[in-house]
Amino acid sequence: MKIGMIVGSLRRDSWNAKVAMTVKGLLPAAHETQVLGIGELGLYNQDLDGEGAPESWKKLRQSARACDAFIFFTPEYNRSYAPALKNALDILSRDPLGSPLAGKPAAVFSASPGTYGGMMANHALRPVLFSLGMIPMQQPEVALSKVHTCFEGGAVNEATLRLLQKAANAFADFAGKWYAQKD
């Protein structure tokens, strides 16, 4: 099974990117992972779609098509998920060849330096994934509050590592059950 990972934050020192890299290392070795970059996409404009679509859109869509499941990592921006992530979802879901997201399992991990860990972003993204025909994992929810305190010496601390391991295992099981049924 191949798991695509999409990080909504484009910041160079993004906490969500650090969380994603940690989760990538925690997923079972039997699963291939790929981080799908969204930083070079440009804003979605339907007039640009089709045969003449930007190469960055084509590359993202092709990469997503090869994935069997997805984990989305998002900060919270103004009580919602990252605009770069919204743009990527629009590009993916409006693929003229059909959405490479539809029918695939997904998980949402959010992290924020704030008190609520991006929970509003997390909960704003879930109905969007449903509307795109994805199958979001409901539990455990991952919303890391005060994320800057979750790291010590560049790596996640023990308590955070345990939480992320539990969530990574749960998602691997959740997506694995779907993957086994698709054949």
Side-chain angles (χ1 to χ4, degrees), residues 7 17 20 23 36 166 168 174:
V7 179
V23 171
L36 283 68
K166 179 181 175 183
F174 175 78

Short mmCIF file of all heavy atoms in Angstrom, two decimals, residues 7 17 20 23 36 166 168 174:
data_model
loop_
_atom_site.label_atom_id
_atom_site.label_comp_id
_atom_site.label_asym_id
_atom_site.label_seq_id
_atom_site.Cartn_x
_atom_site.Cartn_y
_atom_site.Cartn_z
N VAL A 7 1.36 18.03 3.17
CA VAL A 7 1.55 19.00 4.25
C VAL A 7 1.03 20.35 3.77
O VAL A 7 1.48 20.88 2.75
CB VAL A 7 3.05 19.12 4.64
CG1 VAL A 7 3.24 20.14 5.74
CG2 VAL A 7 3.59 17.75 5.07
N ALA A 17 5.29 19.91 8.84
CA ALA A 17 6.23 19.12 8.04
C ALA A 17 7.09 18.24 8.95
O ALA A 17 7.37 17.08 8.62
CB ALA A 17 7.10 20.04 7.20
N ALA A 20 4.93 15.41 9.98
CA ALA A 20 4.78 14.49 8.85
C ALA A 20 6.00 13.59 8.70
O ALA A 20 5.88 12.38 8.49
CB ALA A 20 4.53 15.27 7.56
N VAL A 23 5.87 10.98 11.39
CA VAL A 23 4.86 9.96 11.09
C VAL A 23 5.34 9.05 9.97
O VAL A 23 5.14 7.83 10.01
CB VAL A 23 3.50 10.61 10.76
CG1 VAL A 23 2.50 9.59 10.23
CG2 VAL A 23 2.95 11.32 11.99
N LEU A 36 3.79 14.42 -1.08
CA LEU A 36 3.40 15.10 -2.31
C LEU A 36 3.55 16.60 -2.09
O LEU A 36 2.80 17.19 -1.31
CB LEU A 36 1.95 14.77 -2.68
CG LEU A 36 1.70 13.40 -3.31
CD1 LEU A 36 1.94 12.27 -2.34
CD2 LEU A 36 0.31 13.31 -3.86
N LYS A 166 0.66 5.62 17.90
CA LYS A 166 -0.69 5.07 18.01
C LYS A 166 -1.53 5.48 16.79
O LYS A 166 -2.23 4.65 16.21
CB LYS A 166 -1.36 5.56 19.30
CG LYS A 166 -2.77 5.08 19.49
CD LYS A 166 -3.38 5.61 20.78
CE LYS A 166 -4.83 5.21 20.90
NZ LYS A 166 -5.46 5.76 22.10
N ALA A 168 -0.41 6.51 13.79
CA ALA A 168 0.15 5.91 12.57
C ALA A 168 -0.29 4.45 12.45
O ALA A 168 -0.68 4.00 11.37
CB ALA A 168 1.67 6.03 12.57
N PHE A 174 -6.52 0.97 9.48
CA PHE A 174 -7.73 1.49 8.82
C PHE A 174 -7.60 1.43 7.30
O PHE A 174 -8.45 0.88 6.61
CB PHE A 174 -7.94 2.94 9.30
CG PHE A 174 -9.08 3.66 8.63
CD1 PHE A 174 -10.38 3.43 9.02
CD2 PHE A 174 -8.83 4.62 7.65
CE1 PHE A 174 -11.44 4.12 8.41
CE2 PHE A 174 -9.87 5.30 7.05
CZ PHE A 174 -11.18 5.05 7.43
#
